[in-house]
Amino acid sequence: MSFISTGVEYSLHCLLFLADSSAGVRDASVRDLAEMQGIPVEYAAKLFTRLSKAGLVVATEGVRGGYSLAKDSKDISVHDVVIAIDGEKGLFDCREVRRQCALFEGDPPAWASKGKCSINAIMQSAEESMRAELRKHTLADLAAGVNAKAPAAYGKRVITWFDDRAAARRAH
């Protein structure tokens, strides 16, 4: 079981197409973003509803309508997306197992449950380290990484792909 959902991964990939980069588009429909990622439109719509509620994207009106980033891609951290999609759930939920040892017969001695559980302390420290790392990286950083390894023609292909779909919607 992963602690960061697949929805976070799909959201980040979709948001990369909206980021200011050579492969970015100003705005895009959820249908097009879903098709580009190979996911159901309904699923992408749920993700973008969460991203919108978190203030990371805004809906755009009109024939081309869809979503655009609500702020600059350098101001959206990976952590922001994790929180928008998965919420503030913790990685570890201490069950105070240390109190349940059969030897205690339901009445754990003070020494067994005194202070913070050392296992919980390690897990909390690990979670904070992970969250700090996720806060360090932005959507702009991710887009720069993709652009650095993609061939120069990739960005133009992405933009053309989205433009062609928007034009087809306008024609109908």
Side-chain angles (χ1 to χ4, degrees):
M1 175 180 152
S2 62
F3 292 101
I4 296 178
S5 72
T6 304
V8 171
E9 181 179 10
Y10 282 127
S11 295
L12 286 166
H13 279 283
C14 286
L15 291 172
L16 285 175
F17 292 112
L18 302 176
D20 300 325
S21 71
S22 63
V25 294
R26 187 175 186 89
D27 55 25
S29 74
V30 169
R31 178 171 301 285
D32 292 345
L33 290 163
E35 185 178 336
M36 181 63 97
Q37 295 302 317
I39 60 174
V41 174
E42 299 78 20
Y43 183 54
K46 288 178 184 177
L47 296 174
F48 272 80
T49 296
R50 291 179 184 169
L51 294 168
S52 180
K53 286 181 181 176
L56 302 180
V57 297
V58 292
T60 56
E61 301 295 327
V63 177
R64 183 169 172 130
Y67 285 94
S68 61
L69 295 181
K71 44 188 161 181
D72 194 286
S73 59
K74 70 179 177 6
D75 296 325
I76 298 174
S77 73
V78 173
H79 187 261
D80 293 335
V81 177
V82 170
I83 297 303
I85 300 301
D86 287 349
E88 291 279 356
K89 68 180 180 182
L91 296 179
F92 182 74
D93 185 18
C94 184
R95 305 281 184 190
E96 283 294 330
V97 172
R98 64 188 177 162
R99 295 173 182 257
Q100 299 172 20
C101 178
L103 297 177
F104 302 153
E105 299 175 346
D107 187 23
W111 65 264
S113 57
K114 182 179 173 186
K116 187 171 186 176
C117 172
S118 58
I119 294 169
N120 189 31
I122 291 168
M123 298 300 186
Q124 295 301 317
S125 177
E127 178 176 348
E128 186 47 45
S129 295
M130 182 202 68
R131 290 186 186 281
E133 186 68 20
L134 294 174
R135 285 183 195 102
K136 285 188 211 175
H137 302 281
T138 68
L139 194 53
D141 298 334
L142 293 174
V146 170
N147 291 337
K149 67 181 183 178
Y154 174 74
K156 291 177 184 165
R157 287 183 62 203
V158 167
I159 292 168
T160 300
W161 190 91
F162 280 102
D163 285 347
D164 289 350
R165 276 149 185 77
R169 279 192 301 283
R170 284 193 298 268
H172 289 102

